[in-house]
């Protein structure tokens, strides 16, 4: 280990060493060349591949620090956005079943092709280069949407030429689609306001209806990861790099292979952000059909699978670091120059999705927080998909959720069972631990009333 | 967990977020065929599946574990891009160390989606062991 491993957790949230190898993965990440400060894990940490999910690691670019596609994950720029409706729960109530039917129809989900926008190859290149900004310029959204996206919705440095033909083929017919697994679109209601002043600045009020979207860069991002892990693994010997896990394959950031991955990853990130933008347009359309208002204002859109070149002060020096967040959310404090102008004195909204049937949270970045301004990204799984399926059937879970007042529209019953709420850690305990660790502060708690799953 | 004693087969093993698949057979070709069926078992019930297309894929010579990655990548690519769904494969090993594959694709209206779709195969904990009369592999699928 070149640096210590630091896990933000409580005893109850610590992964079981017998069933979950995430702590071993924290140790493995600590061996990466150029890593600084620590190999961090958030309270929602769980077993991934290469990196743990919930892991944060930064490398010093000028000191030969590496970039690892495994530190980003297959689903590049997987992330969350929260949209705010002017409706409250009482106003929505009678329209909810019709809204859910409309969303189930308008939101492509599940396996294979399916898109809100069928692209041609020039349009795909536009998305890869311009992300949300390209989608908005083509009529899919508003200028305000861009103001509230991380990086204005466009990650600089993207190069479509660094993305393989195969990845592009996977991306042509999936822009504006949810996918499957843990991805979702939820109708939520603000259940508790925990920081009134910040909530007001975020535009959140008790009882308000919100839409949370959790999705990523679909098959295109996965293919970029597959392609570049292979290229980088075969180049490692040239840089005399050995890693304890093949999915940790890495090269110096400033190497031809590292630069090529960064350019492809940025393109994947732009696709992921545009994907959530297109899903937003589908949600607005569904609200317009089924309710009195199609207005859904974006609070924020943030990735939780990304590597970014950021400047941080370390040992009294400002250094350019490559910060990998895999299943971890950037959490900028008040005053940070990368915040949207109107949130500059408040801090960044940190979006923490729960697990269908449990709460989600909005947090805000804290001054002086550690882990390179990072916080958790969700509740974090504790149970395997096979174990979840053995414990409950999809139809039974759907009935349980309906009894709790949650309408579900799911692509497959087994997929629904795999995502049963009991498969995850207690999200209330996870965000409480994040706050105790000084990483971010709770602003509002949201509970679901409708869930669309792949 | 010890694999069952059957000559060929497949199963899923627990993993917190994703899925570990295990496949085995009397030779490399049989093991890889089982690996594709294992993959399909994640997302589809193949009962009554109507195969409507056979996609021929030629893999260049490579280490067996790389051939496994390429084969699974081909199946995932077909699932993500086509109108038919991979449900199996016929695999033939070539003398030069490569593979000739015929991916069996079923009509979407003949199958029932069951679980989360596979999206990538990880190199983490990838294993392919070749013993006398038995080839065994484990691989982790991102879903």
């Amino acid at each position: 280990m070149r640096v210590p491993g630091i896990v933000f957790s409580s005893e109850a949230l610590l992964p079981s060493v017998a069933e979950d190898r995430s702590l071993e993965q924290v140790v493995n990440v600590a061996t990466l060349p150029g890593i600084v400060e620590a190999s961090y894990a958030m309270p929602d940490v769980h077993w991934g591949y290469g990196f743990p999910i919930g892991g944060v690691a930064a490398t010093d670019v000028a000191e030969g620090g590496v970039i690892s596609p495994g530190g980003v994950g297959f689903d590049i720029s997987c992330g969350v956005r929260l949209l705010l409706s002017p409706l409250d729960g009482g106003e929505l109530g009678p329209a909810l079943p019709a809204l859910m039917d409309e969303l189930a129809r308008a939101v492509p989900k599940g396996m294979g092709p399916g898109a809100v926008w069928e692209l041609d190859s020039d349009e795909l290149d536009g998305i890869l280069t311009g992300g949300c900004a390209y989608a908005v310029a083509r009529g899919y959204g508003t200028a305000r949407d861009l103001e509230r996206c991380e990086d204005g919705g466009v990650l600089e440095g993207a190069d479509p030429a660094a993305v393989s033909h195969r990845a592009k083929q996977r991306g042509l017919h999936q822009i504006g689609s949810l996918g499957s697994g843990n991805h979702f679109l939820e109708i939520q209601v603000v259940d508790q306001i925990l920081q009134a002043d910040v909530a007001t600045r975020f535009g959140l009020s008790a009882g308000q209806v919100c839409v949370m979207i959790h999705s990523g860069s679909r098959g295109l991002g996965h293919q970029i990861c597959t392609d570049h892990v292979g290229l980088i693994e075969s180049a490692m010997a040239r840089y005399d790099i050995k890693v304890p896990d093949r999915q940790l394959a890495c090269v110096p950031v400033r190497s031809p292979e590292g630069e090529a991955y960064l350019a492809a990853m940025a393109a994947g990130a732009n696709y992921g952000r545009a994907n959530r933008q297109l899903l937003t347009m589908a949600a607005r359309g569904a609200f317009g059909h089924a309710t009195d208002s199609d207005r859904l204002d974006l609070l924020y859109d943030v990735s939780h699978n990304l590597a970014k070149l950021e400047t941080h002060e370390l040992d009294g020096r400002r250094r350019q670091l490559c910060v990998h967040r895999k299943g971890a959310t950037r959490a900028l404090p008040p005053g940070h120059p990368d915040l949207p102008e109107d949130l500059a004195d408040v801090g960044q909204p940190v979006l923490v999705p729960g697990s269908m049937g449990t709460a989600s949270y909005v947090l805000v970045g804290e001054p002086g927080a550690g882990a390179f301004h990072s916080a958790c990204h969700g509740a974090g799984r504790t149970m395997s998909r096979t174990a979840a399926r053995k414990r409950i059937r999809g139809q039974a879970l759907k009935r349980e959720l309906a009894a709790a007042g949650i309408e579900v529209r799911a692509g497959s019953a087994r997929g629904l069972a795999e995502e049963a709420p009991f498969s995850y850690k207690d999200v209330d305990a996870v965000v409480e631990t994040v706050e105790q660790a000084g990483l971010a502060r709770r602003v509002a708690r949201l509970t679901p009333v409708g869930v669309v799953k792949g | 967990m010890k694999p069952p004693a059957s000559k060929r087969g497949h199963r899923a093993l627990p993993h917190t977020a994703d899925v570990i698949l295990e496949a085995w057979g009397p030779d490399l070709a049989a093991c890889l065929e089982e690996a594709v069926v294992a993959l399909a078992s994640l997302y589809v019930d193949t009962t009554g599946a109507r195969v409507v297309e056979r996609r021929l894929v030629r893999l260049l010579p490579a280490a067996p574990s790389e051939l496994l990655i390429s084969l699974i990548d081909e199946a995932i690519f077909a699932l993500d891009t086509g109108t038919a769904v991979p449900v199996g494969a016929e695999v033939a090993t070539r003398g030069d160390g490569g593979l000739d594959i015929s991916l069996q694709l079923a009509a979407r209206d003949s199958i029932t989606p069951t679980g989360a779709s596979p999206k990538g195969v990880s190199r983490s904990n990838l294993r392919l062991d070749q013993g006398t009369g038995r080839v065994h592999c484990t691989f982790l699928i991102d879903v």
Side-chain angles (χ1 to χ4, degrees):
Chain A
M1 289 171 75
R2 297 170 193 260
V3 293
I6 295 178
V7 182
F8 298 101
S9 192
S10 64
E11 203 168 324
L13 291 174
L14 262 184
S16 155
V17 175
E19 293 163 9
D20 180 299
R21 292 164 63 182
S22 53
L23 298 182
E24 180 186 322
Q25 292 179 323
V26 172
V27 171
N28 289 344
V29 170
T31 68
L32 292 179
I35 188 169
V36 293
E37 207 168 90
S39 163
Y40 287 108
M42 297 293 130
D44 54 332
V45 67
H46 57 280
W47 190 12
Y49 31 81
F51 271 61
I53 297 169
V56 178
T59 62
D60 189 331
V61 176
E63 299 292 325
V66 294
I67 185 163
S68 171
V72 173
F74 276 103
D75 197 356
I76 295 166
S77 193
C78 183
V80 182
R81 65 169 46 193
L82 188 69
L83 302 155
L84 312 182
S85 164
L87 302 172
D88 66 30
E91 291 166 329
L92 174 66
L96 183 64
L99 174 62
M100 294 306 298
D101 289 342
E102 196 61 37
L103 284 168
R105 188 194 59 76
V107 175
K109 56 188 182 299
M111 67 180 175
V116 171
W117 181 9
E118 285 288 338
L119 303 170
D120 64 30
S121 59
D122 288 341
E123 289 168 335
L124 177 60
D125 281 356
I127 292 280
L128 297 178
T129 311
C132 274
Y134 180 79
V136 168
R138 294 294 304 271
Y140 295 102
T142 65
R144 145 108 191 173
D145 291 339
L146 298 181
E147 289 165 16
R148 289 301 185 87
C149 277
E150 181 183 10
D151 309 310
V154 190
L155 190 57
E156 295 296 325
D159 182 3
V163 178
S164 69
H165 178 62
R166 196 176 179 81
K168 288 180 179 178
Q169 282 179 286
R170 288 178 74 175
L172 271 175
H173 306 294
Q174 290 189 331
I175 195 84
S177 64
L178 208 51
S180 59
N182 63 356
H183 292 166
F184 64 75
L185 184 151
E186 278 191 5
I187 310 298
Q188 302 174 343
V189 172
V190 178
D191 168 53
Q192 287 177 51
I193 295 291
L194 302 155
Q195 287 280 327
D197 53 340
V198 178
T200 301
R201 293 293 301 279
F202 283 177
L204 290 164
S205 57
Q208 182 178 16
V209 170
C210 304
V211 177
M212 184 173 273
I213 295 172
H214 176 209
S215 189
S217 51
R218 310 286 288 112
L220 177 134
H222 284 74
Q223 193 66 50
I224 289 172
C225 180
T226 298
D227 294 343
H228 284 264
V229 169
L231 293 171
I232 284 175
E233 187 180 40
S234 58
M236 282 200 308
R238 281 208 293 285
Y239 303 101
D240 198 23
I241 293 173
K242 293 186 177 70
V243 288
D245 182 320
R246 291 182 67 188
Q247 198 69 17
L248 287 177
C250 56
V251 286
V253 176
R254 296 303 177 210
S255 65
E257 298 84 3
E259 302 276 9
Y261 173 67
L262 266 177
M265 182 207 72
N270 287 333
Y271 187 96
R273 289 154 181 204
N275 184 41
R276 292 190 289 277
Q277 182 66 28
L278 269 294
L279 289 168
T280 297
M281 298 307 287
R284 285 174 176 155
F287 268 73
H289 276 105
T291 77
D292 294 336
S293 175
D294 66 353
R295 186 173 161 192
L296 291 172
D297 292 336
L298 181 59
L299 169 58
Y300 203 63
D301 178 297
V302 64
S303 306
H304 51 228
N305 278 4
L306 207 57
K308 297 186 89 168
L309 299 180
E310 300 175 358
T311 303
H312 291 266
E313 191 164 318
L314 208 63
D315 303 328
R317 275 196 301 136
R318 288 180 71 72
R319 301 199 226 173
Q320 189 186 40
L321 305 180
C322 180
V323 184
H324 301 72
R325 296 185 182 89
K326 183 181 178 186
T329 309
R330 192 189 67 166
L332 299 179
H336 196 282
D338 291 342
L339 285 167
E341 206 174 318
D342 59 342
L343 296 179
D345 60 329
V346 187
Q348 181 206 304
V350 178
L351 308 175
V352 181
S355 49
M356 189 170 62
T358 67
S360 295
Y361 279 86
V362 178
L363 290 73
V364 64
E366 276 275 75
F372 311 104
H373 305 313
S374 308
C376 66
H377 86 308
R381 279 193 84 100
T382 55
M383 186 182 281
S384 73
R385 293 176 179 279
T386 39
R389 284 203 311 270
K390 280 180 189 160
R391 189 156 149 191
I392 196 164
R393 287 185 171 275
Q395 287 304 335
L397 176 59
K398 197 172 174 182
R399 281 195 298 274
E400 274 184 21
L401 291 168
I406 302 166
E407 293 252 353
V408 177
R409 301 290 184 274
S412 89
R414 197 176 88 173
L416 190 69
E418 289 176 359
E419 289 294 319
F422 54 68
S423 314
Y424 286 82
K425 297 181 189 183
D426 175 357
V427 70
D428 298 310
V430 167
V431 294
E432 188 182 352
T433 306
V434 165
E435 188 167 298
Q436 287 169 349
L439 298 170
R441 218 163 8 109
R442 289 170 290 184
V443 175
R445 183 178 191 270
L446 298 80
T447 50
V449 293
V451 181
V452 181
K453 293 285 286 184
Chain B
M1 281 199 279
K2 211 175 165 186
S6 59
K7 278 185 89 172
R8 61 184 289 167
H10 63 268
R11 65 178 174 178
L13 300 176
H15 182 274
T16 315
D18 297 296
V19 185
I20 296 175
L21 295 175
E22 182 180 27
W24 60 92
D27 53 30
L28 180 62
C31 177
L32 294 177
E33 286 173 359
E34 287 293 335
V36 175
V37 179
L39 185 78
S41 70
L42 292 179
Y43 54 84
V44 72
D45 176 357
T46 56
T47 311
R50 192 173 74 256
V51 174
V52 290
E53 184 186 340
R54 291 176 192 274
R55 184 172 301 178
L56 302 179
V57 179
R58 186 176 170 85
L59 294 184
L60 295 174
S65 64
E66 289 303 308
L67 293 173
L68 170 65
I69 287 178
S70 298
L71 171 61
I72 298 300
D73 193 43
E74 286 291 341
I76 291 173
F77 179 75
L79 178 68
D80 240 14
T81 55
T83 53
V85 177
V87 292
E90 287 169 15
V91 177
T93 50
R94 292 197 311 270
D96 65 358
L99 297 177
D100 288 324
I101 297 156
S102 171
L103 264 185
Q104 299 165 347
L105 306 174
R108 281 188 192 257
D109 63 4
S110 74
I111 51 95
T112 308
T114 52
S117 325
K119 289 174 292 196
V121 55
S122 170
R123 284 169 161 76
S124 198
N125 302 113
L126 178 76
R127 289 192 65 175
L128 193 147
D129 301 318
Q130 299 193 79
T132 308
R134 190 168 175 93
V135 178
H136 175 262
C137 68
T138 54
F139 53 105
L140 196 160
I141 293 293
D142 181 88
V143 296

